[in-house]
């Protein structure tokens, strides 16, 4: 019991001692008087401690063994690798656009387009067109959101003078 307690005390003191420079650097980082080289030095000094203490606390194979190797390569590296590994691990959690790129390319809803769909079942170009048609009150009823791939008839828009006329008519109708 008391041996255990003494041991814990010793470890705690050792950690306190080793962490002090880190705390100093952090406080100086906060006041802007330390640079990252100092932080790196401290981190390098702490790495062996982590390797030594980790197993004692049953940090196990993952935390105990792993640090010894990467820590030696210089402080910049492991962090960079961790950052690179993270998105891969996060996998399907990719934010925002392009769900099509992953699941294996659902095609644009417009017949004969063949491009991967990006928004509401339409490729970038056809979604633009859809929005334009909608804005000008000419969206065909078949151009529904999330239409099946390759299922919607494209519309050919008039050009030049005819275009202006078509627009005016659409505006009146709306
Ligand atoms: Zn398309």
């Amino acid at each position: 019991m008391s041996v255990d307690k003494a041991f814990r005390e010793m470890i705690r003191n050792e950690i306190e001692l080793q962490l002090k420079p880190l705390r100093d650097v952090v406080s100086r980082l906060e006041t802007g008087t330390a640079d990252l080289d100092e932080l790196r030095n401290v981190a390098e000094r702490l790495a062996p401690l982590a390797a030594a203490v980790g197993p004692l606390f049953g940090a196990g194979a993952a935390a105990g063994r792993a640090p010894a190797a990467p820590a030696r390569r210089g402080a910049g590296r492991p962090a960079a690798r961790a950052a690179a590994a993270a998105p891969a691990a996060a996998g399907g959690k990719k934010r925002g656009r392009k769900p099509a790129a992953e699941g294996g390319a659902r095609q644009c809803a417009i017949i004969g387009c063949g491009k991967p769909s990006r928004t509401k079942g339409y490729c970038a170009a056809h979604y633009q067109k859809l929005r334009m048609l909608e804005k000008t009150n000419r969206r065909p009823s078949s151009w529904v959101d999330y239409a099946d791939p390759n299922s919607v008839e494209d519309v050919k828009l008039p050009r030049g003078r005819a275009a202006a006329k078509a627009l005016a008519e659409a505006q009146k109708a709306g």
Side-chain angles (χ1 to χ4, degrees):
M1 214 40 147
S2 66
V3 172
D4 183 59
K5 200 184 166 196
F7 182 68
R8 279 167 195 274
E9 191 81 346
M10 188 190 86
I11 297 285
R12 200 172 61 87
N13 288 341
E14 184 67 11
I15 290 174
E16 281 288 300
L17 194 74
Q18 298 277 354
L19 284 183
K20 193 172 177 304
L22 181 62
R23 242 182 285 138
D24 290 348
V25 173
V26 168
S27 68
R28 268 184 294 146
L29 278 174
E30 279 165 356
T31 56
T33 55
D35 58 27
L36 288 176
D37 279 339
E38 268 180 274
L39 185 58
R40 201 172 301 142
N41 286 339
V42 175
E44 260 160 26
R45 250 187 288 155
L46 287 177
L49 178 72
V53 169
L56 293 179
F57 289 117
R65 258 175 245 160
R72 252 178 253 136
R73 298 192 188 176
R77 270 277 177 78
R81 214 194 295 144
K93 277 193 176 179
K94 228 180 258 174
R95 226 179 271 172
R97 348 195 108 211
K98 287 197 184 174
E102 281 155 42
R106 179 192 161 99
Q107 282 195 345
C108 177
I110 299 301
I111 293 169
C113 172
K115 291 199 200 94
S117 77
R118 275 181 70 181
T119 310
K120 296 188 177 180
Y122 295 81
C123 73
H126 280 121
Y127 185 66
Q128 285 291 95
K129 189 169 178 178
L130 183 155
R131 300 231 315 174
M132 184 274 287
L133 287 168
E134 194 169 43
K135 230 185 280 177
T136 56
N137 202 23
R138 292 180 293 173
R139 183 173 173 173
S141 56
S142 58
W143 284 49
V144 293
D145 288 357
Y146 305 105
D148 287 336
N150 230 14
S151 73
V152 175
E153 193 92 44
D154 199 0
V155 291
K156 200 164 184 199
L157 294 168
R159 296 189 171 269
R161 226 178 253 204
K165 203 176 150 200
L167 265 178
E169 265 164 30
Q171 222 92 62
K172 243 186 281 166

